[in-house]
Amino acid sequence: MLGLRLATSERPMNDEWRRVAVRPRDSVLLGISFRPRQVEAFGLGGPATLDALLEYPFELLRLGAYWDRIETTAHEFDTHELDWQLEAAERAGKKVILSLGPIKNFGYPEYYVPSHLIERPLREGTLVRPEDHASLLSAARRFISRVVIKYRSRDSVVAWQLEHEAVDPLGFEHSWRLARDFVEAELMTLRDCDPSRPVVMNGFLPTSSLVKLTQWWRTRDQGDSLATSAQLADIVGIDYYPRNALLRLGARTLYADGSGARRPGALLAALRERGGRWMVSEGQAEPWETTTVPTNPPGKSMFTCGPHHLIENYNDALSWSSQETPLYAYLFWGAEYWILRARAGDSSYLDAFRRVLNA
């Protein structure tokens, strides 16, 4: 009932991904996210990896403005890394969702506040409120303003993302959370700087009973990020990870397995009432095991995400779409891992992605 499963982590590779039927996408935009830190963790080159991915005929690319990489010191604002990523996307004719953070942004460790802006770690178990962290909020709003003003003239940027799973705890490592009014203040700044583009806010979709219960308990005082996004954002992004590892037990691993999750009917009904749109901001397409950097075992795939799961998870999301609440876009999560696998001689993840694009 809790959606728990004890299984062997590594599985022999097979060609099941060739046989899984792919749902037609109709007008749904397809894309990926690009994570420079994950590229570095894999020992890959950033420009070469991005260029290889941009050769595929998807439409939408999500890029991150990582605060601690742009403002490494108090007087610096260096966007060269983001600039070359955006220029590469534009050469390839891609549309871009630019994720601003600033406190949280996609890609581990998801927390990107520059060290010179905060004297001590955020206190565990607390809500980060504007009145208690006025200087942090002020700095975050300045960062939002500078990034938006710099890039709002670029036609390739079609939407901004504010924070990442904005009011949820920072993974399982930290229990502090941003208060809703902190995020609302950031949102006000963003809309003031650019009222013309839609704002994406995302949240993690619990797919098993255990994860749902844990998520509810940790966010019960102000609601989770999906609920907040449905009320504040123009586009709600769903982060969909049906299978993730909880605990390694000898040669086997305990997993939360929410495969074939139910349609998030309450969320979609709320969006229908206020005319909001939705997308899958992260559709699991790489393993989520007990390590933050996915392993790459020769000739094997991991339990949480083989190449056939890339297609199956996509199919799940498309089955939730309806005429009243159509799916706007689906971003596959794990493209850098596909390149790593291909460099090691296994192109099945990239080939499965190609199957979806060509369906």
Side-chain angles (χ1 to χ4, degrees):
M1 290 182 63
L2 293 178
L4 297 178
R5 183 170 175 181
L6 189 63
T8 303
S9 301
E10 297 182 4
R11 305 295 177 92
M13 287 293 298
N14 57 52
D15 63 353
E16 186 177 350
W17 63 269
R18 299 180 185 273
R19 300 186 296 273
V20 178
V22 181
R23 284 181 176 265
R25 60 164 161 153
D26 298 322
S27 62
V28 177
L29 300 179
L30 300 182
I32 62 172
S33 301
F34 182 69
R35 301 167 292 172
R37 273 184 171 84
Q38 196 75 328
V39 170
E40 293 163 4
F42 286 147
L44 302 172
T49 299
L50 183 57
D51 285 343
L53 291 168
L54 290 173
E55 292 178 1
Y56 288 79
F58 59 86
E59 297 89 3
L60 196 56
L61 176 68
R62 184 171 60 155
L63 298 175
Y66 295 102
W67 197 4
D68 63 350
R69 292 200 165 199
I70 291 174
E71 292 188 11
T72 57
T73 66
H75 303 291
E76 188 172 15
F77 187 77
D78 183 356
T79 60
H80 77 276
E81 181 178 63
L82 184 54
D83 289 338
W84 69 253
Q85 294 171 20
L86 187 57
E87 289 162 5
E90 290 172 342
R91 287 194 301 270
K94 309 301 185 186
K95 300 175 181 178
V96 172
I97 294 177
L98 185 50
S99 182
L100 305 168
I103 312 300
K104 301 170 71 181
N105 214 329
F106 67 86
Y108 189 83
E110 299 183 354
Y111 173 78
Y112 297 103
V113 178
S115 58
H116 67 271
L117 285 173
I118 192 162
E119 295 181 358
R120 60 184 64 87
L122 298 172
R123 190 157 59 89
E124 298 298 336
T126 62
L127 283 178
V128 178
R129 298 184 181 278
E131 58 268 28
D132 301 324
H133 296 85
S135 62
L136 177 61
L137 177 57
S138 179
R141 296 177 77 170
R142 285 196 303 272
F143 178 74
I144 291 170
S145 297
R146 295 187 74 176
V147 174
V148 172
I149 290 170
K150 179 176 176 63
Y151 294 108
R152 66 187 178 187
S153 62
R154 307 289 279 262
D155 292 339
S156 58
V157 177
V158 296
W160 311 105
Q161 179 178 319
L162 178 64
E163 296 295 355
H164 168 75
E165 299 175 356
V167 299
D168 289 350
L170 186 72
F172 285 96
E173 291 112 319
H174 298 284
S175 57
W176 60 260
R177 293 167 294 138
L178 296 180
R180 175 172 166 146
D181 51 356
F182 190 104
V183 178
E184 288 176 329
E186 293 178 319
L187 179 60
M188 184 182 303
T189 297
L190 173 52
R191 293 201 189 279
D192 285 344
C193 291
D194 183 10
S196 66
R197 287 180 177 84
V199 176
V200 178
M201 293 177 63
N202 65 331
F204 181 81
L205 179 68
T207 58
S208 65
S209 298
L210 176 62
V211 175
K212 287 179 183 178
L213 179 61
T214 303
Q215 179 82 333
W216 170 81
W217 179 255
R218 300 178 85 196
T219 63
R220 63 193 184 281
D221 53 350
Q222 63 173 7
D224 66 12
S225 291
L226 279 180
T228 298
S229 300
Q231 295 165 359
L232 299 180
D234 303 302
I235 304 173
V236 172
I238 293 176
D239 295 346
Y240 179 47
Y241 296 90
R243 289 162 296 277
N244 55 90
L246 300 175
L247 181 66
R248 187 70 183 261
L249 299 170
R252 304 173 74 182
T253 301
L254 182 66
Y255 293 96
D257 189 351
S259 305
R262 293 181 180 180
R263 184 175 186 267
L267 172 65
L268 297 179
L271 291 176
R272 184 170 62 248
E273 286 184 9
R274 64 180 291 262
R277 292 185 288 169
W278 70 285
M279 65 182 291
V280 174
S281 44
E282 297 177 14
Q284 185 177 14
E286 73 171 3
W288 194 349
E289 299 288 331
T290 54
T291 57
T292 56
V293 178
T295 57
N296 180 27
K300 296 182 179 180
S301 64
M302 306 305 293
F303 173 81
T304 45
C305 191
H308 63 289
H309 291 126
L310 179 154
I311 301 174
E312 291 174 354
N313 296 340
Y314 164 81
N315 285 343
D316 287 345
L318 260 67
S319 73
W320 305 338
S321 185
S322 68
Q323 187 174 356
E324 296 79 16
T325 51
L327 176 61
Y328 162 63
Y330 187 101
L331 301 184
F332 293 84
W333 180 262
E336 306 86 359
Y337 182 72
W338 312 339
I339 298 294
L340 177 71
R341 296 285 297 195
R343 298 279 172 85
D346 170 29
S347 65
S348 58
Y349 287 86
L350 284 169
D351 292 338
F353 180 52
R354 191 189 299 276
R355 279 199 65 208
V356 174
L357 294 175
N358 293 336

